[in-house]
Amino acid sequence: MIVWLIIMIPVSAFITGIGVYAWRRKKPMWFWSGTKVRENEISDVPAYNRANAIMWICYSAVFWLSTFLGIWNETAGGILLIAGCLISAPVLPMVYGKIYNKYRRRNAS
């Protein structure tokens, strides 16, 4: 139980922190490490960053739910975590793609 909490609370907080960072960021938030989104690519940077933040905060909800579920039932918490990660692997890039396409400036260079 203690090991579960020692691992899950920081991981959950880290993912929530990515969402908070994206929300407060003045320049466009990126999705993958090593990629950059230039300001001239995005038509509305604050809205784009808010959408990214909401995506990450919703993703972190899976981790928080599995953390607290694991307190009462470790097996159920683990199953939720695994299912959430497996489902989010293809879903996060698709959601980000929709966000990027929604706010992409059509004549970006």
Side-chain angles (χ1 to χ4, degrees), residues 4-65:
W4 175 258
L5 294 175
I6 288 172
I7 293 169
M8 290 304 297
I9 290 174
V11 169
S12 303
F14 177 75
I15 296 170
T16 301
I18 292 172
V20 171
Y21 176 75
W23 195 291
R24 293 182 177 178
R25 190 169 160 81
K26 301 295 182 209
K27 295 185 179 200
M29 183 65 179
W30 59 91
F31 183 65
W32 294 114
S33 175
T35 62
K36 296 245 181 192
V37 178
R38 297 184 317 265
E39 285 185 69
N40 67 342
E41 289 179 59
I42 304 299
S43 61
D44 185 352
V45 174
Y48 167 82
N49 283 347
R50 275 192 307 276
N52 269 292
I54 291 167
M55 175 187 72
W56 285 111
I57 291 168
C58 288
Y59 178 54
S60 75
V62 172
F63 287 82
W64 286 113
L65 287 171

Side-chain angles (χ1 to χ4, degrees), residues 75-93:
T75 303
I79 290 170
L80 176 62
L81 178 63
I82 291 168
C85 288
L86 288 174
I87 291 168
S88 67
V91 170
L92 275 177

